[in-house]
Amino acid sequence: MVNKHVLAWVKEMEGLCKPDRVVWCDGSKEEKERLTKEAFKTGELIEFNQEKLPGCVFHRTAENDVARTEHLTFICTSKKEDAGPTNNWMAPVDAYSKLSGIFDGAMRGRTMYVVPFIMGAPGSHFNKIGVEITDSIYVVLNMRIMTNMGDVAMKALGNTGDFTKCLHSKADLDINRRFICHFPEDNTIWSVGSGYGGNVLLGKKCLALRIASYMGRKEGWMAEHMTLMGIEKPDGEIIYVAGAFPSACGKTNLAMLIPPESMKGYKIWTLGDDIVWLRIGKDGRMWAINPETGFFGVAPGTNKKTNGNAMRTISKNTIFTNVLLKEDRTVWWEGLEDKPEKGIDWKGDQWNSYSGKPGAHPNSRFTTPISQCPTGSPETNNPEGVPISAVLFGGRRAKLAPLVYESFNWQHGVFVAATMASEPTAAISDEVHEIRRDPMAMLPFIGYNAGDYFKHWLDMGKKLKNPPKIFHVNWFRTDGEGKFMWPGFGENLRVLEWIIHRADGGDRAVKTPIGYVPARGVLNLDGVNVSAGDMEKLLSVDPKAWIAEAESIKGFFDKIGGKLPKELEDERKALVGRLKE
Ligand code: GTP
Ligand code: SPV
Ligand code: MN
């Protein structure tokens, strides 16, 4: 028997979108095979060489629809102030009325799929349930990898009406009629006019970050844009670490890190690469789960050397989006080994290696199950999650920010996180070229007023008896020639080793005005190719440049306005004071 709340809502949306037929998805293997075949027929999906890439398929999005469109993303609360200064806002009545006009009849001639899904492990009391209505098979098949989808979700929902209503239609993929609207007061998401991941896999950024962050504030937990990993030390102890980096800044790579030769006793356990839900445990520590079951990862730059684990994970049952199709019907992107001479590029045009054009879109992606990851943690499905010892924040900063520094305490850590900044990447399609403040790597994902969000972070700290330590990292410092000074990837474990040593109360640090940095000589640099001069630069703090940074932070705080917690401005002033000493 179908849940009457879901049924009533689906009927209503059917009346609006007017599809030819409605299909309720059960999440079965047969369903996956049937939908895949159907999508091959229409060209929505292309089949890869099944001997070389079993179970893998290929999808091209529209050319104007290759990344999240933040300028078309809205938080629709009754009061504008509740969306705050960092979000686009529309009044709910206006948004419903505007989008209804676009949804009206948008599914004529199409099938409407009803996709129930759970964010979180089945049976966990941390779960949130959603139902996504969509006219895209690509969305259904992605949701099947990224969430616990189908009958399992309907069962978890039971007879209640406690689910997020997620409505999606590609409509005509017209960017002028594209909107991603969140109605946190109604537990509802409406997305229209796009077929790109973050805009349309509504369990992901829309539910598990924007709506969930809003719920988390009310219910006393947090939804964050974080990677989640366990670091097993040579003595066998596993330390869990979460890391917030903006889009395309290294979360997937960190979660799947392979220890360098000289650090053989270490092992990394992967739990998640994009979203973490954090709660306070009975023990006063912070506990984390990854609500997703798959990775929607950046393809370019991924190869056997940078991320061998990802390469193994995506060798089967993977959906590739906007990559290059090789002549043998396998896949290629910039940065992958074995560059082909020719192929068909992400737009569907003939491509050759001399053309100077990218073969894959810079934001091309793979969708792949966590269960296939060779370093997948046995704790991934633990409904209680894992206890967090350290939280990392970091972006792409060619200058200024050292390789790593540790905050003095929780409040200072929240200041460090709230003021982090990063250079633009291909994951956003807006025309941003400058470095931007991206608080907690959540700028595009905070579902309410950013000032209240900072306050929530401060309040959570007060409730934690044993808060995790907060660190800032930067793998992306460049030298005068624009080359990365730090080798990154697997070598980042050298920094993590210091971090978990510090989280465990160890010394080996020196105090600077911005926080603690590793004492000279304590980072394990065995077998790593960084000059002494570069290492010195990577760990140094330039007071003059930091005073300018503190000035720029002032400008950002002014934008946050009246809801900025006083503690953060206090921290800013204290930083300036220490810098001037
Ligand atoms: P989203 O999925 O967009 O949220 O991104 P993400 O944070 O998971 O980013 P990801 O790990 O996919 O990295 C994006 C890009 O950064 C890829 O091209 C990587 O090759 C590159 N990258 C990751 N880690 C490092 C690093 O330590 N150093 C350098 N130089 N590049 C890195
Ligand atoms: C990001 O942009 O941060 C992503 C990809 O993780 S998307 O799901 O498209 O938002
Ligand atoms: Mn992300």
Side-chain angles (χ1 to χ4, degrees), residues 3 5-7 9-10 117 128-132 157 160-166 186-188 207 215:
N3 176 306
H5 305 278
V6 179
L7 195 60
W9 173 66
V10 169
F117 62 93
K128 294 290 172 192
I129 295 171
V131 181
E132 176 160 357
L157 185 60
T160 74
D162 191 12
F163 64 97
T164 306
K165 302 183 208 66
C166 308
D186 304 339
N187 201 4
T188 295
L207 194 166
M215 291 173 165

Side-chain angles (χ1 to χ4, degrees), residues 67-68 196-199 201 204-205 225 246-248 251 274 296 363 365 427-428 445:
R68 280 181 295 103
Y196 168 76
N199 288 341
L201 308 178
K204 196 174 180 51
K205 295 300 163 52
H225 191 206
S247 304
K251 293 185 298 300
D274 200 46
F296 182 61
N363 191 40
R365 301 243 166 195
I428 326 163
F445 310 121

Side-chain angles (χ1 to χ4, degrees), residues 230-240 265-267 269 500:
I231 304 164
E232 184 174 330
K233 298 194 294 182
D235 66 8
E237 190 191 2
I238 303 176
I239 308 289
Y240 293 96
Y266 280 92
K267 177 163 174 36
W269 295 100
I500 60 177

Side-chain angles (χ1 to χ4, degrees), residues 227-277:
T227 188
L228 184 59
M229 68 199 293
I231 304 164
E232 184 174 330
K233 298 194 294 182
D235 66 8
E237 190 191 2
I238 303 176
I239 308 289
Y240 293 96
V241 169
F245 313 147
S247 304
C249 291
K251 293 185 298 300
T252 306
N253 281 268
L254 196 72
M256 298 185 190
L257 180 155
I258 295 173
E261 280 298 320
S262 64
M263 295 183 76
K264 271 285 184 259
Y266 280 92
K267 177 163 174 36
I268 297 303
W269 295 100
T270 308
L271 286 104
D273 80 329
D274 200 46
I275 297 176
V276 164
W277 288 353

